[in-house]
Amino acid sequence: MLFSLKKLYQYPTIVLAVLSSVYASLASGSTAAKEHSRAVVPGQWSLVQNGTTGVSGMQLAVTSENTVIILDKVEHNPLTVDGHVAWVSEVNLETKAIRALNPASNTWCATGSFLSNGTLVSSGGNPVQVVITGEDGRQALRLFTPCNDGTCDIFENQDVIRLTSFRWYAASVRLEDGSVLIFGGSTIGGFTNNASIINPTYEFFPSKNINGFNGVQIPSQFLHDSLNANHFPIVMYLPDGTIFVAANQKAMILDWKPTPKPDFPTFRMVYTSRTAIDPEFPASDQCSRLILTAAGIAAGWQVETMPQTRIMPELILLPDGRVVIVNGAQTGIAGSDLGDEIGPSNGIGQSNADNPALMPVVYDPAAPSGERFSSDGIPASEIPRMYHSTATLIPDGTIMLAGSNPNLDVTTVRFPTEYRMEFLSPPYMSRPRPTYTDSNVSVALIDPGFATHGVHMDQRMLKLVSSLSSDKMTLTVIGPPTPALLPPGPAYLFVVTDEGVPSFGHKTLIGTGAAPPDDAGATANMLALSAQNWPSSPTEGEGSDMATAMIPVGSA
């Protein structure tokens, strides 16, 4: 069977749902009725434990058809590298073999996105706190280009490549030119963001000379307005080349390009909140859904109810168009026990959440309201996946679950540091894979993204136009019409039968595979001006020296 990709284009529509995270599903010429008519395979799901990750899975990304990268913080992990503890590993999905990687700085609470040439960019982090090894990661940029021979490692040198400023808990998104925009965060550790530690800016990698900012960070009023709950803001690239941004109870459309629109629409998100840490306080059961068209924004958020309350969920796109919700807890809040930073604390050990959400839930965005959630046939996990856990779709069509560590260091207390991997298999995994000889197939292009803290940077699905040749030997697939629909970079191509059975997802680089534009002048100016002169880092514990004053949520 041959595949051929053509650049003949048909513009898709976008539907976007938010549930403490965002996913985007872009379907060619889709309508609600058409989407609802698609088939899914019914039956029993399976969940198996198989292998360990070597470091705890705080951050997770698929790097090839048979490997993933796991990033943790510097702590007493059992895996070692170059004579010290390891905090990054590569896992072989076929053999479950682990290979330690060796970054120079602490990746604690970093973000990540892939460039157009397939290189993963890990941005920001935290100072070294638990184990005295490695460098302060807050201004770090780390580059990892996946390989097939087990020799590639992380490149990092803050003398020649770094962020403009300290960023901890930032977010990132790949742009249509293949570069990455890095948004927000804090300059030092802390459970909540506030005016004394906020980094209220965004920047680009590689650096850009844009809108009068030559390689330097660009201020964002939105980050001030969304205090104090705007760590890991949600950022999603939209088909018109703008960026959807959400944090706290606010959301906006950001036009980042030269000569941006002077006014960005802002709209209020619906969610529940409180100002005291109580691990037994029920989390929210709401799911907020917004269609990002003029009419959809005018209609506002449509709020649905999940089968159970859930904090720290992971939303994973399936090739059949559904979304699987895994991980998290039913009570409490995200984070580690930080004493009286935002109110009285009664943590479970160092966890500010309790009652693990062990039952996965399927969300069907095309089903009628009130019928979109189901756990039929899905087994519950036996492993709590609390704060600092992750999940991702992998190329064979299953979902990998990893991590959980609501603790400052490796521990075996309740809700311990977790290294075991689980693999959740939808019923379609029990069916024969497509042979591509049936004309009734569709093609789904999926970017699994970069997962951390319940946010999946760059995760998206694009349904492509395809046709099978008369001799049933060549499936012609029409590539994305514009780079804004799926920004150039790595993605995985699934062929899906009319019964909802996907093929193995084969890796492809959308675009030419070239590196993004690199403005040498902007980079030089950034290096000259980005002296590391932010406030001193915490010396003990996560956020030990942060200001304790609460910043009120701004009005919409």
Side-chain angles (χ1 to χ4, degrees):
M1 168 54 58
L2 298 176
F3 288 95
S4 66
L5 287 173
K6 290 186 176 180
K7 292 185 177 179
L8 300 175
Y9 306 132
Q10 182 175 343
Y11 197 89
T13 60
I14 182 167
V15 175
L16 185 145
V18 174
L19 176 65
S20 304
S21 181
V22 174
Y23 86 91
S25 176
L26 298 91
S28 175
S30 67
T31 65
K34 180 179 178 181
E35 277 294 297
H36 191 46
S37 67
R38 58 165 165 70
V40 295
V41 178
Q44 293 295 310
W45 297 55
S46 68
L47 180 67
V48 297
Q49 297 177 25
N50 189 0
T52 58
T53 54
V55 302
S56 190
M58 180 189 296
Q59 302 154 40
L60 171 62
V62 178
T63 49
S64 75
E65 293 183 7
N66 62 359
T67 57
V68 297
I69 188 171
I70 305 281
L71 299 94
D72 191 14
K73 62 178 180 287
V74 179
E75 59 181 331
H76 289 94
N77 289 310
L79 190 66
T80 61
V81 61
D82 199 25
H84 59 75
V85 296
W87 58 95
V88 180
S89 68
E90 181 186 70
V91 178
N92 187 298
L93 295 171
E94 296 177 356
T95 66
K96 306 304 184 287
I98 304 168
R99 184 170 72 93
L101 301 178
N102 195 17
S105 67
N106 193 356
T107 54
W108 190 346
C109 296
T111 184
S113 288
F114 288 89
L115 299 173
S116 55
N117 61 358
T119 294
L120 174 66
V121 180
S122 168
S123 309
N126 221 17
V128 174
Q129 295 179 210
V130 178
V131 183
I132 307 304
T133 186
E135 303 170 1
D136 186 328
R138 290 175 294 170
Q139 207 164 346
L141 281 167
R142 312 167 194 90
L143 304 181
F144 178 72
T145 301
C147 62
N148 297 320
D149 59 5
T151 62
C152 46
D153 209 332
I154 295 172
F155 171 80
E156 182 178 355
N157 183 345
Q158 293 190 46
D159 289 335
V160 297
I161 177 175
R162 62 174 180 260
L163 293 167
T164 63
S165 49
F166 288 172
R167 295 191 189 274
W168 180 85
Y169 267 137
S172 57
V173 61
R174 187 165 72 250
L175 308 178
E176 61 192 80
D177 66 357
S179 64
V180 171
L181 183 149
I182 303 149
F183 193 85
S186 296
T187 60
I188 60 175
F191 178 73
T192 58
N193 213 346
N194 63 55
S196 69
I197 64 171
I198 186 177
N199 186 335
T201 69
Y202 61 92
E203 63 183 277
F204 301 92
F205 179 78
S207 299
K208 297 182 186 296
N209 185 351
I210 186 170
N211 297 327
F213 296 89
N214 186 15
V216 298
Q217 64 267 39
I218 300 173
S220 170
Q221 183 61 40
F222 176 87
L223 288 165
H224 288 287
D225 294 342
S226 57
L227 284 172
N228 58 345
N230 61 9
H231 282 149
F232 280 121
I234 296 164
V235 287
M236 178 68 64
Y237 209 70
L238 300 179
D240 65 355
T242 60
I243 300 171
F244 173 82
V245 184
N248 205 329
Q249 287 184 297
K250 290 187 174 292
M252 74 166 180
I253 305 297
L254 169 65
D255 189 344
W256 62 274
K257 296 178 181 179
T259 316
K261 300 179 180 69
D263 297 308
F264 304 135
T266 61
F267 27 93
R268 189 177 184 87
M269 296 176 65
V270 182
Y271 88 133
T272 59
S273 65
R274 56 190 178 277
T275 58
I277 299 176
D278 182 353
E280 304 307 324
F281 193 96
S284 173
D285 63 357
Q286 74 167 35
C287 171
S288 297
R289 174 178 169 129
L290 181 72
I291 300 176
L292 289 177
T293 61
I297 292 173
W301 294 95
Q302 306 302 309
V303 180
E304 303 175 85
T305 301
M306 296 185 292
Q308 60 183 189
T309 62
R310 201 177 206 94
I311 189 72
M312 302 175 290
E314 307 276 344
L315 274 68
I316 311 299
L317 283 166
L318 293 181
D320 64 13
R322 296 178 296 169
V323 184
V324 178
I325 307 168
V326 295
N327 296 355
Q330 299 179 72
T331 60
I333 57 177
S336 299
D337 185 5
L338 301 174
D340 293 327
E341 287 186 9
I342 68 168
S345 174
N346 300 289
I348 307 299
Q350 291 181 315
S351 174
N352 284 328
D354 197 4
N355 299 298
L358 301 173
M359 176 62 72
V361 177
V362 174
Y363 177 79
D364 187 344
S369 179
E371 302 177 18
R372 292 175 179 148
F373 296 97
S374 174
S375 294
D376 293 346
I378 305 178
S381 174
E382 298 178 354
I383 301 176
R385 302 284 183 184
M386 309 293 279
Y387 189 53
H388 290 162
S389 61
T390 48
T392 187
L393 180 76
I394 59 176
D396 71 354
T398 62
I399 296 170
M400 175 182 171
L401 313 178
S404 184
N405 188 20
N407 311 288
L408 292 179
D409 197 3
V410 174
T411 182
T412 58
V413 300
R414 188 181 176 197
F415 305 143
T417 309
E418 185 59 65
Y419 298 102
R420 290 173 291 177
M421 293 184 287
E422 293 175 288
F423 297 89
L424 179 64
S425 297
Y428 58 61
M429 294 298 293
S430 64
R431 298 289 184 89
R433 295 288 183 154
T435 62
Y436 317 123
T437 59
D438 188 346
S439 59
N440 294 319
V441 296
S442 59
V443 176
L445 190 64
I446 295 181
D447 182 348
F450 180 95
T452 186
H453 292 73
V455 181
H456 289 243
M457 318 296 169
D458 302 307
Q459 182 183 204
R460 64 203 295 127
M461 182 177 77
L462 190 67
K463 189 173 180 181
L464 302 178
V465 176
S466 62
S467 61
L468 188 66
S469 63
S470 58
D471 62 3
K472 297 187 176 182
M473 292 300 295
T474 301
L475 182 66
T476 299
V477 181
I478 300 175
T482 73
L485 294 176
L486 199 151
Y492 294 80
L493 192 146
F494 295 84
V495 173
V496 186
T497 71
D498 57 358
E499 294 182 341
V501 181
S503 68
F504 186 90
H506 289 289
K507 184 177 181 179
T508 183
L509 272 178
I510 302 302
T512 66
D518 187 357
D519 187 324
T523 298
N525 196 51
M526 179 275 296
L527 290 172
L529 297 176
S530 60
Q532 298 182 8
N533 56 1
W534 290 90
S536 60
S537 62
T539 58
E540 183 179 352
E542 186 177 41
S544 62
D545 65 349
M546 71 164 285
T548 58
M550 289 291 292
I551 306 298
V553 174
S555 59

